[in-house]
Amino acid sequence: MSSGKSRVTELIAGLTLFEVGSTTLFQIGAKVKQDAWLAMLIGAGLGFLLLLIYLGIYRRDSERDLFGLCRHYLGRWIGTIFALVFALYFTYESSRNLRDLGELGAFALLNRTPLPIIMLITLLVLANSARYGIHMVFLVCVVLLPIVIVSYFLLVIMIAGEGMIKFEYMLPVLENGIKPVWDAAVPEIVSFPFAQTLLFLVFFPLVKKAKHLRASVLITYIVVAVALIIINQINLLVLGPTIVEMTVFPLLQVVQLIELAEVFERMDVLFVLVLFIGLGTKILLFYIGATIGFSQITATGYKKWVIPVGLMVYSASFISPNFSHHLWVGIDLVLNRYYPYIQMAMPALLLMVMMIRRNKRPQE
């Protein structure tokens, strides 16, 4: 892996694209209909608290990444188990996003191309990118980020210019009280997408020492979270709460409705490419995180794990026989039952151990 250190601005570009990732592909909080923005706001707030925990872990030991921290502070055996769980989590998340990208590509662009071929080509490109390490990936993110920002900004302008937004779809607020909104947010929306910033505990130590890292990460998180809430709510305000809940790719359907002066039509084809940038970045960052993890656990070279991790990612992407099952597993099983332990309980335990040992001399 590249030994170069990344700058804070490069990490921020990677964090932004990672957070956007696959989030705009789906309707978050669709079950609470017009109150989806409130559910996302609660999820983002709790995700912010989790990010403070992650940054607290980093601040107490900025030299070690997530895997090194586990083995150093939790002991050889328990630490290795924790590190392995995190590495497998990153692998599985990479595979889920790969499946999302493949399904989107087959649905919107390549409906005659077999899904395994789309995903294989994608993974080969990303695996080759992973060989160069996170430093080069963050540099590419700096180039791609302006494209994504401008694209989403123009999208919102075009939707507003077409008069497609109907604010009456936001009413009534809290029609069924706060409990359904809270239940929709916790733990589902917290786990996806906001708690996924856990991955960056692998990357923080790879950044050049900068006293503004913490503030930059927190500000970026807030700005991106607000943007995601706005885009998510625009889907509802255009399609309506009933249709948006039944639509697989709501933002794509919104884009398909745009027709400016009978010139700018089929915007969905171009916008799918923007979605690919976010999805591809998320797949790649999880991929690299998993590769670093297995490399450290086995004390072998980083590049030796690029192909094995790629094979695991590709294989795991076919766990579900169809996309409906894939979504069901992602929401009802992993987000609500398993991820809270990985994203919340395990980091909190790690931080507690680090705090207990802060006045003691750490033992290798």
Side-chain angles (χ1 to χ4, degrees):
M1 190 174 73
S2 173
S3 59
K5 287 271 190 176
S6 298
R7 298 178 180 178
V8 173
T9 52
E10 295 163 5
L11 178 135
I12 292 304
L15 176 62
T16 302
L17 290 179
F18 174 83
E19 276 292 278
V20 172
S22 57
T23 309
T24 57
L25 194 62
F26 306 107
Q27 181 65 16
I28 310 299
K31 65 179 72 173
V32 290
K33 301 184 184 299
Q34 67 270 16
D35 292 325
W37 68 276
L38 278 172
M40 282 198 75
L41 191 62
I42 293 172
L46 295 176
F48 184 83
L49 297 179
L50 285 174
L51 183 58
L52 290 177
I53 291 177
Y54 304 155
L55 288 168
I57 293 173
Y58 168 70
R59 184 172 64 86
R60 281 169 172 77
D61 190 339
S62 60
E63 298 298 324
R64 296 179 175 87
D65 65 15
L66 178 61
F67 306 107
L69 291 168
C70 290
R71 303 184 78 184
H72 182 79
Y73 289 97
L74 300 177
R76 180 180 177 185
W77 296 108
I78 296 178
T80 299
I81 292 173
F82 269 54
L84 182 60
V85 170
F86 286 131
L88 291 173
Y89 161 62
F90 297 151
T91 303
Y92 180 65
E93 271 301 302
S94 185
S95 74
R96 288 197 60 82
N97 283 274
L98 178 63
R99 180 65 178 264
D100 292 339
L101 187 147
E103 295 283 356
L104 175 64
F107 177 82
L109 297 178
L110 306 168
N111 52 17
R112 294 186 179 180
T113 304
L115 181 64
I117 299 299
I118 298 174
M119 293 163 60
L120 178 61
I121 294 173
T122 300
L123 190 61
L124 288 174
V125 173
L126 296 178
N128 183 62
S129 301
R131 290 175 58 248
Y132 295 97
I134 194 63
H135 177 58
M136 293 302 298
V137 173
F138 280 161
L139 287 176
V140 174
C141 289
V142 173
V143 177
L144 295 177
L145 180 59
I147 299 174
V148 173
I149 292 175
V150 171
S151 298
Y152 279 104
F153 179 76
L154 290 177
L155 174 64
V156 173
I157 295 298
M158 287 187 288
I159 292 173
E162 286 273 283
M164 299 164 61
I165 297 177
K166 301 178 177 62
F167 288 102
E168 57 267 26
Y169 284 145
M170 290 187 67
L171 302 174
V173 177
L174 293 177
E175 181 180 16
N176 299 309
I178 190 64
K179 188 178 185 304
V181 177
W182 178 267
D183 291 341
V186 183
E188 184 177 318
I189 297 177
V190 179
S191 294
F192 172 76
F194 299 111
Q196 293 180 329
T197 51
L198 169 68
L199 171 67
F200 280 74
L201 273 176
V202 180
F203 303 139
F204 287 152
L206 302 177
V207 176
K208 290 180 181 178
K209 292 297 179 290
K211 58 183 178 181
H212 300 301
L213 172 64
R214 184 175 184 271
S216 299
V217 169
L218 293 175
I219 292 172
T220 300
Y221 176 91
I222 293 172
V223 172
V224 174
V226 171
L228 292 176
I229 292 172
I230 291 173
I231 293 172
N232 192 74
Q233 197 68 8
I234 283 176
N235 293 337
L236 185 143
L237 297 180
V238 173
L239 299 177
T242 302
I243 295 177
V244 79
E245 186 177 5
M246 298 185 295
T247 305
V248 179
F249 302 125
L251 183 59
L252 191 61
Q253 184 164 331
V254 170
V255 175
Q256 289 174 338
L257 297 175
I258 298 175
E259 294 183 8
L260 293 179
E262 298 183 357
V263 176
F264 295 99
E265 299 182 10
R266 290 311 309 271
M267 297 289 293
D268 54 313
V269 175
L270 294 175
F271 199 72
V272 165
L273 300 178
V274 178
L275 291 172
F276 277 1
I277 292 175
L279 276 166
T281 302
K282 200 162 191 175
I283 296 168
L284 183 53
L285 292 182
F286 272 126
Y287 189 142
I288 292 175
T291 304
I292 293 174
F294 286 113
S295 172
Q296 291 196 22
I297 292 170
T298 59
T300 53
Y302 170 85
K303 290 187 177 181
K304 292 182 179 179
W305 276 98
V306 171
I307 293 178
V309 170
L311 292 174
M312 286 190 286
V313 169
Y314 188 70
S315 300
S317 64
F318 292 102
I319 290 177
S320 295
N322 53 61
F323 196 48
S324 297
H325 186 269
H326 170 77
L327 295 177
W328 173 79
V329 168
I331 297 173
D332 290 355
L333 289 183
V334 296
L335 285 185
N336 288 308
R337 300 187 188 182
Y338 301 123
Y339 281 5
Y341 296 104
I342 299 173
Q343 299 168 329
M344 306 171 197
M346 291 172 63
L349 178 60
L350 175 61
L351 179 60
M352 288 174 58
V353 172
M354 294 176 70
M355 293 175 66
I356 291 171
R357 296 184 57 183
R358 70 182 182 272
N359 294 323
K360 300 179 181 179
R361 183 178 179 180
Q363 299 177 0
E364 294 291 341

